[in-house]
Amino acid sequence: PGSPTRAELQAAGLRAWVCEQTMLRATPGRGDELLAAATTLLAAALRRRGIRRFGAFRSPMHADELLLVWAAPTFAALAGWYE
């Protein structure tokens, strides 16, 4: 859920030198709510810095564990998010 298709990524011209993954753990039963927030609010904030989410996955073994994958154009762009 929340992952663009390969065709959508290609059409958007996604290019990245740096990729990062983020593991999130939701309160039990609230995984969908956390995923919705991450794919809207967090993604919008990162997009302003040139960082795009290109994957959002739920763990098959733990329904409340999420994996988000981000693409950044440079290390500086990614580091800027952590400042």
Side-chain angles (χ1 to χ4, degrees), residues 33-51:
E33 188 178 334
L34 180 58
L35 182 58
T39 58
T40 56
L41 303 173
L42 182 57
L46 289 170
R47 196 173 317 127
R48 288 192 290 273
R49 296 176 179 271
I51 302 169

Side-chain angles (χ1 to χ4, degrees), residues 58-79:
R58 179 169 284 136
S59 170
M61 301 298 283
H62 305 281
D64 297 316
E65 189 173 271
L66 308 172
L67 172 68
L68 303 176
V69 188
W70 306 94
T74 64
F75 282 108
L78 184 62

Side-chain angles (χ1 to χ4, degrees), residues 1-2 6 9 14-16 18 20-21 30 36 39 41 43 47 53 57-58 60 64 66 69 73 77 79:
R6 184 179 197 184
L9 293 171
L14 179 68
R15 299 277 186 267
V18 180
E20 179 177 275
Q21 70 179 26
R30 299 185 72 185
T39 58
L41 303 173
R47 196 173 317 127
R53 176 189 45 82
F57 309 95
R58 179 169 284 136
D64 297 316
L66 308 172
V69 188

